[in-house]
Amino acid sequence: MSATKMFTPVKIGNMTLANRAVMSPMTRSRALDANTPNKLMAEYYGQRASAGLIITEGASPSPNGLGYARIPGLYNATQVAGWKLTTDAVHAAGGRICVQLMHTGRVTQAANLPAGAEVVGPTDAICPGEMYTDSKGMQPHSQPRAMTQADIDHAVAEYAMAAKLAVEAGFDGIELHAANGYLIEQFLNANVNTRTDGYGGSIAGRNRFALEIARAAVAAIGAERVGIRLSPYGVFNSTGPFAELEPQYLALVNELSAMKLAYLHVLDHSAMGAPPVPEAFKLALRNAFNGPFILAGGFDAATGEAALNDGRADMIGYARAFLANPDLVVRMQKGAALNAPDMSTFYTPGAKGYTDYPNM
């Protein structure tokens, strides 16, 4: 199918994007040396610069947030220099790129953390399940320490500093990862957050951590450079629906809208087996947010175009299609066949299944 609206420009914050196809954030585990981005990562993102907007894989704002093997950080000068290779490559090819800030919180295996880092979360409950480590193979998630007020204040400050470092590294903006069961969603989700202080026990309490981080990021670099990703109804990392989910997320999005954030990015995981986000609720979130709205989850060229034409979104996020097709935008314009992604290389070190997917 040759789509039309997908290939029209759109404005986000202070950026004008060439098209409405967004490369969704995808962990790729290629930051081999001290969680530092490298030339191979720059090549990968540079190849995909024809996306209207690239949102990078999650980069941790803190040593404590590096829960997975070989994920990048953004909290020191070496990592800033490493990320600059990527932003330079994307900008040289005419693209736009935001970095996703992802703190894994309790979704962590301590064997993946650098020396001195620790596993923290809203409570001391261990996340069910296992995680891969380079040193010991698959291991259960580690025991977290429940965050104190001082820990929360420290984490908020880490996000604000990472936002500043992102601008220093040449990024056009940041995305706060408040989805998929990582630290921000651990506070949002009533199945995980059983706190009884001011950061739990109510809609306002569970939303508080996310809003403090968003305000700190806005104060650091300006609202026009800050977006956020949400996954209501997601079940990753033992989250799942809860009684006050819809009023809570609507309250959250109303407050984020009042901050004039650059965009809201909503992920529906139903294509991967999670409960669908009800269409009426997606529309309610769109209406609650006065700004650009990205929808992601299971779209192809035709369904993405339909969502744009129906006014359900301003942009559409594509993940595996961009992973396997560096020239996805051209392929969608021409109705061409897509390369299939090789799942066995999603998280392996090296170029195979990373920078070797062919263009048309």
Side-chain angles (χ1 to χ4, degrees):
M1 170 176 172
S2 179
T4 51
K5 189 159 188 186
M6 185 71 72
F7 310 113
T8 60
V10 62
K11 199 167 188 313
I12 292 194
N14 51 13
M15 294 183 277
T16 299
L17 309 180
N19 60 67
R20 295 165 188 259
V22 175
M23 179 174 163
S24 287
M26 292 170 281
T27 292
R28 302 306 311 275
S29 298
R30 259 66 174 193
L32 305 183
D33 184 19
N35 304 98
T36 300
N38 51 45
K39 286 180 182 172
L40 185 67
M41 290 169 62
E43 182 184 354
Y44 167 76
Y45 286 114
Q47 287 173 343
R48 288 155 181 80
S50 58
L53 177 66
I54 291 173
I55 305 168
T56 72
E57 64 208 278
S60 180
S62 168
N64 295 340
L66 295 166
Y68 291 100
R70 292 172 266 108
I71 65 171
L74 184 50
Y75 53 81
N76 65 36
T78 310
Q79 291 162 347
V80 168
W83 277 121
K84 197 144 187 3
L85 302 173
T86 284
T87 60
D88 285 349
V90 171
H91 290 149
R96 295 290 199 164
I97 184 165
C98 292
V99 62
Q100 187 190 66
L101 298 182
M102 175 182 84
H103 189 309
T104 55
R106 73 174 192 156
V107 185
T108 293
Q109 173 35 246
N112 290 328
L113 294 180
E118 62 174 333
V119 187
V120 295
T123 74
D124 64 0
I126 297 172
C127 183
E130 293 185 318
M131 176 183 287
Y132 177 80
T133 70
D134 282 334
S135 57
K136 301 176 182 175
M138 294 299 290
Q139 292 289 313
H141 293 116
S142 294
Q143 171 82 52
R145 181 173 65 74
M147 292 170 76
T148 63
Q149 182 68 56
D151 294 318
I152 287 170
D153 294 344
H154 181 66
V156 171
E158 286 178 319
Y159 274 94
M161 178 52 69
K164 290 179 180 174
L165 293 177
V167 173
E168 196 179 313
F171 284 105
D172 297 298
I174 67 164
E175 176 175 281
L176 299 173
H177 195 0
N180 293 17
Y182 300 117
L183 184 62
I184 299 177
E185 196 186 8
Q186 287 162 30
F187 276 85
L188 291 173
N189 190 276
N191 300 317
V192 178
N193 182 355
T194 54
R195 295 174 77 103
T196 54
D197 65 355
Y199 289 91
S202 67
I203 284 174
R206 290 188 297 270
N207 282 347
R208 183 176 168 187
F209 184 62
L211 291 169
E212 286 185 357
I213 289 168
R215 286 190 196 101
V218 165
I221 62 171
E224 72 281 358
R225 285 192 171 116
V226 180
I228 192 167
R229 188 181 225 209
L230 305 175
S231 60
Y233 288 95
V235 294
F236 274 2
N237 297 314
S238 295
T239 50
F242 54 94
E244 296 178 309
L245 185 152
E246 294 199 6
Q248 180 179 320
Y249 272 87
L250 286 169
L252 176 67
V253 168
N254 274 303
E255 294 210 51
L256 295 169
S257 180
M259 291 182 210
K260 297 184 163 48
L261 292 198
Y263 66 80
L264 175 63
H265 185 179
V266 173
L267 175 61
D268 182 331
H269 273 306
S270 55
M272 297 172 76
V277 182
E279 285 300 325
F281 184 49
K282 286 181 192 168
L283 195 58
L285 293 173
R286 175 156 177 66
N287 291 335
F289 188 75
N290 182 24
F293 191 74
I294 303 172
L295 269 184
F299 286 98
D300 61 19
T303 56
E305 180 67 17
L308 294 173
N309 282 323
D310 295 346
R312 284 179 280 140
D314 299 297
M315 287 155 289
I316 303 295
Y318 295 96
R320 293 178 183 186
F322 261 120
L323 183 156
N325 297 273
D327 57 346
L328 179 65
V329 172
V330 173
R331 287 175 190 255
M332 288 200 299
Q333 281 175 311
K334 299 191 172 190
L338 301 186
N339 300 322
D342 175 6
M343 290 184 67
S344 72
T345 59
F346 278 10
Y347 310 112
T348 52
K352 184 171 165 52
Y354 190 58
T355 53
D356 59 353
Y357 283 105
N359 289 323
M360 262 197 331

